[in-house]
């Protein structure tokens, strides 16, 4: 990619990337580390752009969860544009389009939740007159130049992170499948993702993701593929009420995004199914929810209502907290 000095964007503990920094140095690349301790904010991105420029970085490598990769994408875009996040942020900013190609950005997810490595937006928190909000920077230029999805990088994840990020990924294959903007391509990816999550998410929380046996490798593969497919699905067919509410809650409360999605998913599917039935007994959404129920339960004859029941049971067994 022609990069000589890399801004290495990590999670809260940059020491976890020491081996990677050493490998970059061995390859002749200078590095400067930028840690993202939580979900990225406008202020964090401003500071990161200043650090990037001071260090003379000409490329960005984001290694971590969705927050880390979102920050990396925003830093690569704004360092190239020379503009402020609020010039482009939706909802609370000016919303102006980014017109300058980003610095080369490589995204390496180490969790299986957001699919941010294949989307063109970065979610940032910002203060507004009504209180804290989360909104997106969005541009085709923000797609990472390279995405490296290696399921083995999930091996060390603790159970609560598996549960939260896995719940987010599951929501991001179900919501696009139930979206009015669904397409045959996203349908194919969503069906595969729903089936993989249904067979492996609970198992991953029960048995973990560390190990080299076939069952553990399959769990890692399933969760990584579901997350990747979720990113591709949401980027093309959109999301729904789970993420509509989760964006608001995530800005106002100190709760992991994926856990909020897990708390909302069963209710969202159930409420939308009931609304569709009231509008039209032959509403196409009913058949779609029936298909989701069949994929989740493994029962081809499952009733539509079994989808929300299965999801509610999963939330309980994964110990994802309720909203309260």
């Amino acid at each position: 990619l022609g990069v000589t000095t890399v801004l290495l964007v990590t999670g809260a503990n940059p020491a976890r990337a020491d081996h990677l920094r050493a490998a970059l140095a061995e390859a002749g690349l200078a590095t400067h580390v930028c840690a993202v301790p939580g979900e990225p904010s406008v202020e964090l991105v401003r500071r990161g752009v200043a650090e990037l420029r001071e260090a003379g970085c000409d490329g960005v490598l984001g290694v971590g969860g969705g927050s880390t990769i979102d920050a990396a994408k925003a830093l690569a875009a704004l360092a190239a544009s020379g503009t402020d996040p609020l010039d482009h942020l939706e909802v609370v900013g000016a919303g102006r389009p980014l017109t300058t190609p980003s610095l080369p950005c490589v995204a390496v997810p180490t969790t299986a939740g957001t699919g941010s490595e294949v989307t063109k937006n970065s979610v940032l928190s910002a203060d507004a007159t009504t209180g804290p909000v989360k909104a997106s920077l969005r541009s085709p230029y923000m797609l990472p130049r390279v995405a490296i999805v290696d399921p083995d990088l999930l091996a060390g994840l603790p159970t609560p992170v598996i549960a939260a990020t896995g719940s987010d990924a599951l929501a991001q294959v179900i919501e696009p499948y139930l979206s009015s903007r669904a397409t045959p391509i996203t349908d194919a990816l969503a069906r595969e993702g729903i089936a993989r999550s249904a067979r492996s998410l609970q198992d991953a929380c029960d048995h973990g993701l560390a190990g080299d046996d076939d069952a553990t490798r399959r769990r890692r593969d399933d969760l990584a593929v579901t997350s990747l497919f979720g990113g591709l699905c949401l980027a093309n067919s959109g999301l729904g009420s789970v993420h509509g509410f989760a964006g608001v809650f995530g800005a106002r409360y100190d709760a992991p995004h994926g856990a909020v999605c897990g708390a909302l998913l069963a209710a969202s599917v159930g409420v939308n199914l009931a609304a569709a039935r009231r509008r039209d007994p032959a509403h196409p959404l009913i058949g779609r929810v029936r298909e989701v129920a069949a994929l989740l339960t493994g029962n081809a004859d499952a009733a539509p209502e079994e989808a929300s029941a299965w999801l509610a049971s999963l939330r309980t067994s994964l110990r994802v907290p309720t909203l309260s």
Side-chain angles (χ1 to χ4, degrees):
L1 299 175
V3 174
T4 59
T5 303
V6 179
L7 183 72
L8 176 58
V9 185
T10 73
N13 182 6
R16 292 178 179 171
D18 281 350
H19 64 293
L20 180 55
R21 195 175 188 186
L24 290 166
E26 190 175 336
L29 293 170
T31 57
H32 178 80
V33 175
C34 175
V36 180
E39 295 186 2
S41 65
V42 166
E43 287 303 319
L44 181 142
V45 169
R46 284 174 178 153
R47 291 195 302 271
V49 168
E51 291 179 21
L52 181 154
R53 289 177 177 156
E54 185 177 348
C57 299
D58 53 359
V60 179
L61 171 58
V63 182
S67 295
T68 299
I69 293 174
D70 271 11
K73 289 155 60 178
L75 291 166
L78 294 171
S81 69
T83 50
D84 187 78
L86 290 179
D87 291 336
H88 310 284
L89 202 64
E90 298 172 351
V91 183
V92 295
R96 290 197 290 269
L98 283 156
T99 58
T100 306
S102 298
L103 296 180
C105 179
V106 175
V108 185
T110 60
T111 64
T114 67
S116 180
E117 68 275 8
V118 290
T119 65
K120 63 180 181 180
N121 68 301
S122 174
V123 179
L124 305 180
S125 60
D127 290 324
T129 54
T130 55
V133 298
K134 290 171 73 172
S136 283
L137 291 174
R138 195 183 308 272
S139 169
Y141 290 129
M142 292 183 64
L143 279 169
R145 199 77 60 88
V146 178
I148 298 172
V149 180
D150 181 355
D152 287 349
L153 296 178
L154 308 179
L157 289 180
T159 300
V161 176
I162 298 172
T165 58
S167 295
D168 187 19
L170 179 57
Q172 290 179 170
V173 286
I174 290 177
E175 289 199 289
Y177 193 71
L178 302 181
S179 168
S180 60
R181 293 168 50 198
T183 72
I185 292 174
T186 59
D187 283 352
L189 298 174
R191 288 190 195 100
E192 181 76 7
I194 293 167
R196 284 175 179 259
S197 180
R199 78 184 182 194
S200 288
L201 179 52
Q202 179 68 67
D203 205 20
C205 288
D206 289 344
H207 302 289
L209 294 174
D212 290 324
D213 57 285
D214 289 345
T216 304
R217 283 198 296 269
R218 189 185 79 166
R219 290 194 289 270
R220 290 198 297 259
D221 286 352
D222 281 349
L223 297 192
V225 168
T226 300
S227 177
L228 172 64
F229 284 5
L232 294 168
C233 286
L234 75 89
N236 289 281
S237 294
L239 293 166
S241 56
V242 169
H243 280 79
F245 282 118
V248 178
F249 292 163
R252 292 178 177 266
Y253 302 103
D254 185 20
H257 169 76
V260 176
C261 291
L264 289 163
L265 184 54
S268 173
V269 172
V271 167
N272 279 297
L273 175 62
R277 286 195 187 282
R278 286 195 301 272
R279 291 177 188 176
D280 178 1
H283 197 292
L285 182 71
I286 299 169
R288 288 253 162 181
V289 178
R290 181 182 291 111
E291 291 172 13
V292 170
L295 288 165
L296 291 173
T297 63
N299 175 14
D301 298 321
E305 285 75 13
E306 291 183 57
S308 56
W310 191 95
L311 292 167
S313 176
L314 177 70
R315 186 203 65 74
T316 300
S317 61
L318 294 184
R319 299 180 180 176
V320 172
T322 62
L323 292 184
S324 61

